Amino acid sequence: MTIGIVVFPGSNCDRDVRWALEGCLDLPTRFLWHEERDLTGLDAVVIPGGFSYGDYLRCGAMASRSPVMEEVRKFAKEGRPICGMCNGFQILCEAGLLPGALLQNGDQKFLCRDVHLQAVNKTSIWTKGVEK
């Protein structure tokens, strides 16, 4: 299994994702520059965090219109796995791959708190082997 890691100008977690996938999970990866259109040979795609294009417009708005995201949309329509974290999640929302919209929090202040998650589908490549 080979996983593509999308890199935008302003991404800053792409190398961390590579380290986690290759170093911890022994999964081969390939960086995908935002202008790339070739997802051949990939089994999954990860869109990491950071500040794509500096987030000057709306978080993820400019990145969602990049050439690689056209291919990621096709990849998703084929039912293939995609993971977006932090800014990557915002990009997936802006690209129309996730429903809904991102809104400002009520008091417009930074929130930092633990959130406990539970893996419901334990057959996904992202949750395989997760106990809870």
Side-chain angles (χ1 to χ4, degrees):
M1 170 178 288
T2 302
I3 301 178
I5 303 168
V6 180
V7 180
F8 295 99
S11 294
N12 65 10
C13 297
D14 39 38
R15 285 165 185 76
D16 296 325
V17 169
R18 175 174 262 182
W19 175 84
L21 293 171
E22 289 188 358
C24 299
L25 300 176
D26 202 28
L27 294 171
T29 64
R30 186 174 97 213
F31 283 133
L32 301 168
W33 185 238
H34 66 108
E35 295 173 338
E36 191 168 340
R37 293 185 179 272
D38 182 12
L39 275 55
T40 304
L42 298 177
D43 300 295
V45 172
V46 174
I47 304 173
F51 302 93
S52 59
Y53 297 97
D55 285 341
Y56 291 115
L57 180 58
R58 273 187 328 273
C59 298
M62 292 173 69
S64 72
R65 286 147 181 84
S66 67
V68 75
M69 289 306 297
E70 290 177 31
E71 301 307 313
V72 170
R73 280 186 198 82
K74 293 175 190 173
F75 198 83
K77 284 183 182 176
E78 294 171 1
R80 299 166 84 188
I82 300 169
C83 176
M85 56 193 76
C86 190
N87 191 232
F89 172 80
Q90 295 166 326
I91 294 166
L92 291 175
C93 288
E94 287 285 343
L97 290 169
L98 293 174
L102 299 170
L103 304 173
Q104 292 181 341
N105 59 29
D107 58 10
Q108 296 186 6
K109 294 184 180 172
F110 177 75
L111 299 175
C112 180
R113 61 179 169 225
D114 291 340
V115 176
H116 298 280
L117 304 175
Q118 181 177 5
V120 177
N121 176 351
K122 296 185 178 156
T123 60
S124 162
I125 66 162
W126 311 117
T127 56
K128 187 186 271 184
V130 173
E131 294 298 319
K132 295 184 179 184

